[in-house]
Amino acid sequence: MILIRGARPYGEDAVDVLIADGAIAAIGAPGSVAVPDDAQIVEADGLILLPGFVDVHTHLREPGREDAETVATGSAAAALGGYTAVFAMPNTEPATDTAGVVEQVWRLGSQIGLVDVIPIGAVTVGRKGERLAELGAMADSAARTTMFSDDGSCVSDPSLMRRALEYVKAFDGVVAQHAEEHKLTVDAQMNEGAVSARLGLKGWPAVAEEAIIARDALLAGHVGSRLHVCHVSTAGSVDILRWAKAKGWDVTAEVTPHHLLLTDDRAEGYDPLFKVNPPLRTAADVEALREALADGTIDCVATDHAPHSTEDKETEWAAAPPGMLGLQTALSVVVQTMVQTGKLDWRGVADRMSVAPARIGRIDGVPSSDGGPAGPNGGHGQPIEVGRAANLVLIDPDATWLVAPSELASKSRNTPFAGFTLPARVIATFLRGTPTVLDGALAATAGATA
Ligand code: DOR
Ligand code: ZN
């Protein structure tokens, strides 16, 4: 049993929260919750309590690129970032495109036990965009994968995309599209605009993203299926999403922390830490993304945590792979860009980082081992109330911290925020009542502090 003392759910009035058997057993005014002598006390005076975060877009690199990240190191980074569940992208080696690989990743995640790791299945065999992978077999596997993506690559063929959308309807699945018309981004290095013209780097036009989002929204509407748009990065994409949602189509979208904060002029130093796909865009795009996340046009924040080894990343810009770390800095960047600017309150943060992504990934239901809709991964993104699974995060809203790459839990070091001083820190994370992260200064036993 754990008693969290004096925490503020959603930043509201302080309460005591008792956790027993992995669930929230009692919530009451400070001092009012009876607590057994052997309970562990967490002194959370003034800290903010939110449902544990859910990331629908993480690259864990296992199997195949364990030099860059493993399920273990990525899980540790996730827990430290306040996450209780992450969806692992299938651009592994081999690709996560069969029930066998899906189960392998899922079992690794549950053995490590720091966060629920839900593998995303590839849409096409080997992510080659040629023929559909065994979506049904992956959905039937122990992992109950219902999200599919060829992320890193776009499902370019519209008839394959249509068939994938039709297929996932059978199990209420979703296709998460990496929206990029590859024929418009051949050799592209950064956002196409004034900065790329000045630097002489080949540009990546906004229309390459927007054209696919428009096409896929039309397909999802036509088929009556669920589309999720990965890492939306342009103001034009936001307009298209607004239109698709107004039509009543089942289209959801995510934005990354780096697209909420950084702009394309970061490329000026030719430091590949700022190379990412989709690329960093303009200040006007950043403003449109913040507005869209605030008004719900963009449903959630997803990190696109993309570890790359120092060997791969420390090379010239054109040769470096795109991608940035994100799990341990996501909350802080969201606080800086959305909370400190008055665009989201703490309830809004809970919605965009926990409730909405849990719903999109269908892990918001009651967990079940017998094939219920949430499968074994349920219980995330739920309200903080008695009876709910104790998947929770405690945050110090007033802390600031200096991002030091060598101190991150990830196996890779490619954070674009190195040297930034960011607001807000994760103090503790609880997965089904078990602390996966807990600042030692807060912990005591009831007997010792009474
Ligand atoms: O920047 C990116 N990195 N974008 C992607 O779509 C893939 C990812 C990766 O796997 O490194
Ligand atoms: Zn992607």
Side-chain angles (χ1 to χ4, degrees):
M1 279 197 198
I2 295 180
L3 183 74
I4 303 175
R5 230 182 220 165
R8 297 190 289 136
Y10 310 103
E12 292 157 14
D13 291 344
V15 293
D16 289 354
V17 177
L18 183 67
I19 298 173
D21 298 327
I24 299 177
I27 302 179
S32 72
V33 176
V35 53
D37 259 7
D38 59 345
Q40 186 183 4
I41 305 282
V42 175
E43 296 293 356
D45 211 18
L47 301 181
I48 288 171
L49 185 67
L50 299 184
F53 302 142
V54 173
D55 189 10
V56 293
H57 194 144
T58 306
H59 297 273
L60 293 179
R61 303 293 189 225
E62 192 169 358
R65 285 309 301 266
E66 292 85 351
D67 58 319
E69 195 76 289
T70 63
V71 175
T73 56
S75 293
L80 286 161
Y83 288 88
T84 51
V86 300
F87 286 74
M89 277 294 176
N91 59 338
T92 49
E93 297 170 18
T96 308
D97 63 354
T98 61
V101 185
V102 161
E103 285 204 10
Q104 180 193 342
V105 174
W106 180 74
R107 280 189 206 292
L108 261 171
S110 34
Q111 278 157 18
I112 292 153
L114 291 172
V115 290
D116 284 346
V117 174
I118 302 105
I120 297 174
V123 177
T124 65
V125 175
R127 297 175 48 258
K128 290 197 170 81
E130 288 161 4
R131 56 200 172 86
L132 280 192
E134 315 165 340
L135 309 187
M138 289 188 267
D140 278 344
S141 75
R144 292 272 177 269
T145 286
T146 58
M147 188 179 273
F148 297 91
S149 180
D150 275 359
D151 182 57
S153 306
C154 185
V155 180
S156 295
D157 181 334
S159 76
L160 261 181
M161 187 63 185
R162 175 193 176 156
R163 279 169 49 217
L165 286 165
E166 281 171 341
Y167 205 110
V168 299
K169 277 176 78 174
F171 40 83
D172 192 26
V174 62
V175 181
Q177 176 72 292
H178 169 115
E180 175 181 356
E181 174 47 72
H182 291 295
K183 296 209 163 138
L184 290 172
T185 60
V186 176
D187 296 331
Q189 295 297 328
M190 64 171 296
N191 178 49
E192 179 180 297
V195 183
S196 67
R198 183 153 24 96
L199 297 184
L201 288 175
K202 187 141 186 275
W204 195 308
V207 65
E209 174 173 310
E210 294 156 5
I212 295 292
I213 299 177
R215 181 200 79 174
D216 288 354
L218 287 163
L219 283 173
H222 179 66
V223 168
S225 186
R226 285 212 292 140
L227 170 72
H228 177 71
V229 183
C230 297
H231 41 52
V232 170
S233 72
T234 78
S237 296
V238 167
D239 288 341
I240 295 162
L241 289 167
R242 231 170 240 136
W243 162 77
K245 288 191 167 189
K247 290 279 190 187
W249 299 333
D250 210 340
V251 176
T252 56
E254 69 191 36
V255 62
T256 70
H258 48 269
H259 288 110
L260 289 172
L261 181 59
L262 305 174
T263 48
D264 61 351
D265 49 357
R266 296 271 173 187
E268 273 162 9
Y270 297 96
D271 184 340
L273 285 176
F274 297 104
K275 184 173 175 182
V276 67
N277 175 358
L280 301 176
R281 305 283 189 183
T282 67
D285 293 308
V286 167
E287 192 48 36
L289 295 171
R290 292 181 183 184
E291 286 301 324
L293 185 64
D295 72 19
T297 303
I298 294 177
D299 302 79
C300 67
V301 173
T303 66
D304 196 2
H305 176 85
H308 289 289
S309 70
T310 304
E311 200 181 10
D312 283 354
K313 199 70 172 165
E314 276 183 7
T315 174
E316 84 236 46
W317 180 282
M324 305 174 159
L325 300 186
L327 286 167
Q328 273 182 262
T329 46
L331 170 73
S332 293
V333 174
V334 169
V335 169
Q336 177 164 332
T337 57
M338 301 300 295
V339 179
Q340 293 187 341
T341 55
K343 292 181 193 299
L344 282 183
D345 58 12
W346 289 104
R347 235 175 231 282
V349 173
D351 183 78
R352 306 304 193 271
M353 294 188 73
S354 178
V355 179
R359 190 171 57 230
I360 291 165
R362 296 292 191 259
I363 58 168
D364 55 337
V366 177
S368 68
S369 51
D370 59 359
N377 309 307
H380 294 278
Q382 299 193 341
I384 300 173
E385 55 188 34
V386 172
R388 302 289 187 167
N391 294 318
L392 298 165
V393 56
L394 270 176
I395 296 159
D396 183 347
D398 301 321
T400 58
W401 61 293
L402 178 73
V403 181
S406 64
E407 288 170 16
L408 299 175
S410 174
K411 210 160 180 186
S412 292
R413 296 282 163 260
N414 56 308
T415 174
F417 306 114
F420 284 43
T421 298
L422 295 177
R425 272 228 94 149
V426 170
I427 301 295
T429 310
F430 301 88
L431 179 65
R432 287 180 283 278
T434 301
T436 54
V437 171
L438 181 57
D439 187 316
L442 301 175
T445 61
T449 57

